[in-house]
Amino acid sequence: MKKQLLLSLLAVAVSAACDANAATYDDPIGPSQSDFGGAGLMQVPTARMSRDGEFSLNYRNNDQYRYYSASLQLFPWLETTVRYTDVRTRRYSSSESFSGDQSYKDKAFDLKLRLWQESYWLPEVSFGARDLGGTGLFDSEYLVGTKAWGPFDFTFGIGWGYLGNSGTIKNPFCSYSDSFCTRTNGGGTAGSINGSQMFHGPAALFGGIEYQTPWQPLRLKVEYEGNNYQDDFAGRLEQNSKVNVGAIYRITDWADINASYERGNTFMFGFTLRTNFDDLRQPHIDSAKPAYNPQPQGELLQSTVVANQLTDLKYNAGLDGPKIQTKGDTLYVSGEQTKYRDTREGVDRANRIIVNNLPEGINTIDVTESRFNMPQVTTRTDVASLKNDLSGYPLGHEQPLQQTRINPVDPGSTEQGYFIRRDRLNYSLSPVLNQSVGGPESFYMYQLGVMGNVDYQLTDHLLVSGSLFGNLANNYDKFNYNGLTANSALPRVRTHIRQYVENNVYVNDLQANYMRYLGNDFYGQVYGGYLETMYGGVGGEVLYRPVDSNWAIGVDANYVKQRDWDNMMQFTDYKAPVGNLTAYWRPWFMQNVLVKASVGQYLAKDKGVTLDMSKQFDSGVIVGFYATKTNVSAAEYGEGSFTKGFYISIPMDLFTVTPTRGRAQVNWVPLTRDGGQMLGRKYQLYDMTSDRDGRFN
């Protein structure tokens, strides 16, 4: 009866679609998301890839499972998906004091790699793996091809693991070794990576069709799946049919709703929310760029004219603490860029402000940008070339602006100079949300508070800063993991989190930093105090970073003590030397990707390597992941086997009506354990010298 009802509804939808007007959207809708997240039909994937930068949040629900997933098209050829599966028929654990009546939550990470892009004759071909790490409840590998023909998109593939449980064909790898004929299902450890079972066990064919109806918001799907649901973690599930049918409707360009009828007896409902990290833009209210209107000053700087220039440099060009100096035939401008992420905009505005009232005999303008009173880079511009560029070249005689970026120039003693003193005291108030997802005590744990921040520049190079945290609400009282495993002798360097968040008001950090440019592409800092929520101590860092270079290298060394959660102005007896040697690299073939590799000692005195890879999209959004492997064994580490996490860094000017350089970061760590834990340093030289990066965005 249910099946007849759904088929009737689909028939009505097709009939209405055939009579509907032309497409209501200008652009193709593109691939839709599967039940598991990632481009696909329902239970089975397709070879399709979404647009580069597309980010989707997905929810699917039936009687046995709820799927929560986030899918990101990290590159045009690589799709990544993170998923939590709520197994509604199972408890998280048998211990009510540990997890209460919470249902079981399974974490998973999926990858899909495009091997061949669709051509006129050949299909698009992709290889993928589901549930790469962890318990392996839904782990699968597949090879799939998809070919479009008019409004139809045909998919055909072969799957192993969960996708191939019905075993409709012989595993082709069995002819290589009998070991490929069997597979251990669900035998992994949560959070671990286990590739030993890939392409093992039964295999099955799968396929399907996605149909774009004449009414563009509506698409219909039908698939034949390779799973038989006889060994599901939710229990042995009845399957009356291997054919699943469904429909997806686009409410708006950022939201879909969908319904499907699967296994011949089960309804699935859900929705998808999406955006594209390359396309995010926010119009800003900003002062107009100065028009070119030359009115030379004469041989010397005129104080009244320079006063107006300094004001414009601060508020129009975004250079805080601006300074104007002359020496010989060069005019020097310096300040800290606090307004524009794209520093070229600030330099362009500064050049226009200066050239409109330029003293006689000046042939070069040097604009030097700084951060924390550390000079970053000097942009040197030829005045004659700048004037020609602003006034316009005759058609057909255009020439490039003669402008170069060089190491910061210190003019030394100058003939004339004026400046606006930078405020030494700065303070702010900001909301804070700390969170973790998928824990045994509660699926979502959070701490909501407010952070008061203050810093005072004692000298040009000595900064004193601190922040005071006030708790508004949290549910970390449910966190009862004590960090101990049967085989672990690790000190508890991070798993005392519950004790820390029980403090409603505390000094989050309070430290003194001495930082400066050392010359010859070197930067350095030394610091001491309460360095983060859980640790205080002393340390130092040196960074070598050439201007506009694709690489940099730095080293930090610290000696820290653990702060006492009962009285956070005091320390416990635990202390540790920690530090890392870190290499930074932007591959020449992927300039929007940053690879960081660190080797060193961590808070638990374990030694190892951290690999961090991130991509910056056109909007400025940065998405990254990291993993740390140390000399701590998986048994000693506990659930998760090693430290890993994901993060998204979002420019605040995507939310503000005026330009700003601020950022907000959202972190996701599957499990908090004690191995492979870095010191959370507040100031890091690579981040503070970002203006030396020639990519400007």
Side-chain angles (χ1 to χ4, degrees):
M1 190 65 184
K2 289 182 180 180
K3 185 176 180 180
Q4 291 176 345
L5 174 61
L6 182 64
L7 292 174
S8 299
L9 290 173
L10 291 177
V12 171
V14 173
S15 176
C18 292
D19 294 333
N21 294 327
T24 58
Y25 294 85
D26 295 332
D27 298 323
I29 285 182
S32 58
Q33 296 282 300
S34 70
D35 294 343
F36 284 81
L41 294 169
M42 288 157 283
Q43 290 287 309
V44 306
T46 66
R48 295 295 181 207
M49 297 282 175
S50 301
R51 284 182 56 221
D52 188 23
E54 183 165 306
F55 177 70
S56 301
L57 293 174
N58 309 293
Y59 170 76
R60 301 292 188 269
N61 184 19
N62 66 18
D63 292 340
Q64 294 82 32
Y65 299 111
R66 294 189 187 97
Y67 303 104
Y68 306 87
S69 64
S71 184
L72 172 64
Q73 194 68 40
L74 192 59
F75 299 103
W77 44 269
L78 179 64
E79 174 190 88
T80 59
T81 302
V82 175
R83 180 178 56 259
Y84 276 96
T85 302
D86 180 5
V87 184
R88 304 175 69 174
T89 60
R90 295 256 187 162
R91 292 286 181 89
Y92 198 101
S93 75
S94 58
S95 173
E96 186 173 342
S97 62
F98 180 56
S99 57
D101 59 357
Q102 184 186 183
S103 56
Y104 187 86
K105 306 296 190 300
D106 181 70
K107 297 177 285 288
F109 177 62
D110 305 347
L111 287 176
K112 183 165 69 175
L113 177 68
R114 184 171 65 198
L115 304 178
W116 184 272
Q117 195 164 5
E118 184 178 15
S119 63
Y120 184 82
W121 294 108
L122 296 176
E124 188 151 317
V125 178
S126 295
F127 160 76
R130 285 181 180 171
D131 207 349
L132 270 172
T135 55
L137 302 184
F138 305 99
D139 60 344
S140 311
E141 303 80 48
Y142 58 87
L143 183 66
V144 60
T146 301
K147 188 74 178 74
W149 184 58
F152 297 95
D153 215 30
F154 295 91
T155 290
F156 182 76
I158 177 174
W160 293 262
Y162 194 74
L163 283 167
N165 274 341
S166 60
T168 54
I169 63 169
K170 182 182 178 181
N171 185 343
F173 291 100
C174 284
S175 59
Y176 171 75
S177 171
D178 290 341
S179 63
F180 282 94
C181 296
T182 58
R183 185 184 189 108
T184 303
N185 292 320
T189 301
S192 63
I193 303 295
N194 182 14
S196 64
Q197 294 298 304
M198 294 184 72
F199 304 106
H200 285 64
L205 300 177
F206 62 83
I209 305 170
E210 183 166 350
Y211 171 58
Q212 174 62 66
T213 71
W215 185 31
Q216 195 166 11
L218 179 66
R219 283 164 291 172
L220 306 178
K221 300 180 178 184
V222 60
E223 69 179 11
Y224 176 86
E225 62 173 320
N227 189 13
N228 59 10
Y229 298 93
Q230 299 305 292
D231 299 312
D232 261 50
F233 189 70
R236 184 170 182 172
L237 305 181
E238 184 179 0
Q239 184 184 48
N240 297 333
S241 173
K242 287 185 175 295
V243 177
N244 304 325
V245 293
I248 184 167
Y249 179 80
R250 175 147 295 185
I251 303 173
T252 181
D253 60 353
W254 52 267
D256 294 342
I257 56 173
N258 66 278
S260 58
Y261 189 68
E262 303 178 9
R263 304 202 306 271
N265 53 30
T266 302
F267 279 103
M268 179 85 79
F269 300 95
F271 61 84
T272 293
L273 306 177
R274 70 170 56 77
T275 189
N276 192 289
F277 288 155
D278 275 333
D279 298 341
L280 292 176
R281 296 292 184 274
Q282 169 66 33
H284 293 134
I285 300 172
D286 195 9
S287 52
K289 187 177 291 189
Y292 181 50
N293 182 25
Q295 298 179 24
Q297 291 190 58
E299 293 184 2
L300 298 175
L301 295 173
Q302 300 174 20
S303 58
T304 55
V305 174
V306 174
N308 291 330
Q309 288 180 314
L310 289 170
T311 301
D312 286 341
L313 286 172
K314 180 173 182 176
Y315 296 106
N316 190 291
L319 291 175
D320 191 25
K323 182 184 292 185
I324 296 176
Q325 300 167 280
T326 60
K327 184 177 183 180
D329 66 350
T330 302
L331 187 146
Y332 300 90
V333 175
S334 59
E336 178 167 347
Q337 179 55 254
T338 60
K339 187 176 181 182
Y340 297 108
R341 276 195 295 124
D342 186 345
T343 58
R344 292 173 299 181
E345 178 70 18
V347 170
D348 183 32
R349 288 173 177 253
N351 279 335
R352 287 168 177 257
I353 291 167
I354 295 301
V355 80
N356 276 338
N357 302 104
L358 198 66
E360 292 180 2
I362 297 297
N363 298 321
T364 304
I365 301 174
D366 280 5
V367 179
T368 301
E369 299 162 284
S370 64
R371 298 280 293 277
F372 294 94
N373 283 329
M374 295 186 296
Q376 303 279 299
V377 63
T378 294
T379 303
R380 176 165 291 172
T381 307
D382 179 77
V383 169
S385 175
L386 177 63
K387 289 179 177 179
N388 289 333
D389 189 72
L390 293 174
S391 59
Y393 288 95
L395 186 63
H397 295 274
E398 296 85 356
Q399 295 181 20
L401 178 64
Q402 294 181 32
Q403 188 176 80
T404 57
R405 282 165 50 91
I406 58 177
N407 266 327
V409 174
D410 183 359
S413 60
T414 56
E415 298 157 2
Q416 282 186 290
Y418 297 87
F419 63 91
I420 294 178
R421 189 181 302 276
R422 186 184 177 194
D423 291 337
R424 291 187 177 274
L425 179 65
N426 294 283
Y427 52 88
S428 64
L429 201 64
S430 58
V432 174
L433 176 62
N434 298 315
Q435 55 189 337
S436 61
V437 180
E441 300 90 348
S442 175
F443 179 65
Y444 181 72
M445 299 183 71
Y446 67 92
Q447 181 187 42
L448 179 64
V450 61
M451 189 82 77
N453 308 285
V454 62
D455 63 73
Y456 186 77
Q457 197 81 44
L458 282 173
T459 69
D460 285 346
H461 300 292
L462 182 59
L463 175 73
V464 176
S465 66
S467 58
L468 183 69
F469 179 82
N471 178 67
L472 297 178
N474 75 75
N475 67 344
Y476 272 94
D477 59 318
K478 298 179 181 179
F479 186 86
N480 52 33
Y481 175 74
N482 64 9
L484 303 177
T485 65
N487 301 306
S488 178
L490 285 175
R492 295 186 60 185
V493 298
R494 288 298 186 199
T495 51
H496 279 298
I497 182 172
R498 176 180 177 178
Q499 287 89 337
Y500 284 101
V501 301
E502 285 177 348
N503 294 281
N504 287 322
V505 179
Y506 56 85
V507 173
N508 186 67
D509 60 86
L510 179 62
Q511 63 185 83
N513 273 71
Y514 183 87
M515 53 187 77
R516 67 181 304 160
Y517 176 56
L518 304 175
N520 298 318
D521 300 314
F522 281 95
Y523 289 82
Q525 65 165 333
V526 291
Y527 44 84
Y530 300 111
L531 303 179
E532 52 141 286
T533 305
M534 298 185 185
Y535 289 90
V538 296
E541 180 186 13
V542 175
L543 175 74
Y544 178 73
R545 185 175 189 175
V547 172
D548 295 344
S549 175
N550 285 349
W551 65 276
I553 189 165
V555 61
D556 67 277
N558 314 272
Y559 184 79
V560 298
K561 295 190 71 175
Q562 188 176 50
R563 297 175 67 181
D564 189 342
W565 48 88
D566 292 326
N567 182 349
M568 293 185 63
M569 305 306 290
Q570 297 183 0
F571 295 94
T572 69
D573 292 333
Y574 183 76
K575 52 186 178 293
V578 296
N580 291 90
L581 175 66
T582 304
Y584 307 83
W585 179 49
R586 291 192 184 278
W588 70 92
F589 51 89
M590 288 190 297
Q591 283 291 289
N592 55 359
V593 172
L594 174 64
V595 180
K596 295 191 293 185
S598 300
V599 58
Q601 180 160 294
Y602 299 84
L603 287 170
K605 301 179 183 178
D606 48 337
K607 300 174 178 64
V609 177
T610 296
L611 182 65
D612 183 312
M613 178 178 285
S614 61
K615 177 182 177 180
Q616 181 164 321
F617 294 91
D618 291 346
S619 64
V621 172
I622 298 173
V623 176
F625 69 90
Y626 62 90
T628 299
K629 186 65 177 175
T630 71
N631 56 352
V632 174
S633 68
E636 288 180 297
Y637 184 92
E639 184 181 2
S641 299
F642 61 93
T643 295
K644 51 196 164 295
F646 304 87
Y647 56 90
I648 300 179
S649 176
I650 305 171
M652 292 307 296
D653 63 4
L654 294 179
F655 305 99
T656 60
V657 296
T658 57
T660 180
R661 298 195 74 180
R663 282 185 170 271
Q665 183 158 310
V666 179
N667 300 300
W668 179 72
V669 180
L671 293 166
T672 298
R673 296 295 180 259
D674 293 311
Q677 296 294 330
M678 280 188 170
L679 177 68
R681 294 187 294 120
K682 184 176 183 178
Y683 300 108
Q684 303 197 37
L685 287 176
Y686 190 84
D687 297 332
M688 293 191 291
T689 58
S690 61
D691 292 345
R692 291 175 73 86
D693 188 340
R695 298 178 317 119
F696 301 110
N697 58 0

